[in-house]
Amino acid sequence: MDHLSTAPNIGDALSFVRTSHLVTMLENSLYRAKRAKLHCSKVLVPKELTTRVAQEALKLSLDEPCGLRGCIIYMNLESCNKQAALDTIVYDCSVEPTFELRLVLKQDNQGWDYLRDLLLNKSCFPQLFRSVIKLSPKFHISKRRLYFSVVGAGNEEC
C-alpha cells in the first residue's frame, strides 16, 4: 500500500497557509483604508473576493525567485473611472521585493445607489448608509518584475 498517495501534499498545505496569510493582510489593509483613505464607516466586500485575489497573487508568484515572499502589492480602488491608492502591502518585509502587483478593486454602484437612496428616505439612520462603500466582485491585477533574468546567474537568496 502506498502511504504517500494519501498523505497531504506539503506544497498544497504551504499554498493554503500563504493564501490565508495574504487574505488576512488584504482584509486588514481594507480595514485601515476604510477610515484613513475612504472616509467611510463600512466597506462591503463580496464573499470570496480577498480569497480570489490572494489565489491570483499566488499564481503570479509561482515563477518568481522568492515566490510570494518577494511580492509587494499596490492596492487601489477604482470609482467613476478614477483610481485612489488604498495601501501598499509587503508580503515579507525581510525579503527584497522581486516583483510588484498592481491590484485594482472596483466600486460597485450597480443597484446600490437605488437601494441606498430608498433606505435613506425611509431610514432612521441616513448617515450610516451614506458612508458605505460596496466593492464589486471584479478586480484587475497586473504584475511587473523588478529584476532582469540573466541566464546562468545564481539564485536570489530568499
Side-chain angles (χ1 to χ4, degrees), residues 78 83 102-106 138-143:
E78 182 179 290
Q83 287 190 21
R102 298 230 176 245
L103 170 63
V104 180
L105 301 171
K106 299 175 188 267
K138 298 177 183 178
F139 65 92
H140 176 75
I141 193 166
S142 59
K143 175 180 171 180

Side-chain angles (χ1 to χ4, degrees), residues 97-155:
T98 57
F99 72 105
E100 65 183 28
L101 297 176
R102 298 230 176 245
L103 170 63
V104 180
L105 301 171
K106 299 175 188 267
Q107 186 171 352
D108 186 2
N109 289 325
Q110 276 188 323
W112 176 244
D113 289 335
Y114 172 75
L115 177 63
R116 186 175 52 199
D117 290 344
L118 181 67
L119 291 171
L120 280 172
N121 291 334
K122 297 186 179 191
S123 175
C124 298
F125 308 102
Q127 195 61 24
L128 174 68
F129 292 104
R130 276 197 193 100
S131 61
V132 175
I133 292 178
K134 181 181 176 192
L135 297 181
S136 168
K138 298 177 183 178
F139 65 92
H140 176 75
I141 193 166
S142 59
K143 175 180 171 180
R144 184 172 78 97
R145 288 196 165 116
L146 301 176
Y147 64 93
F148 295 102
S149 298
V150 179
V151 178
N155 289 341

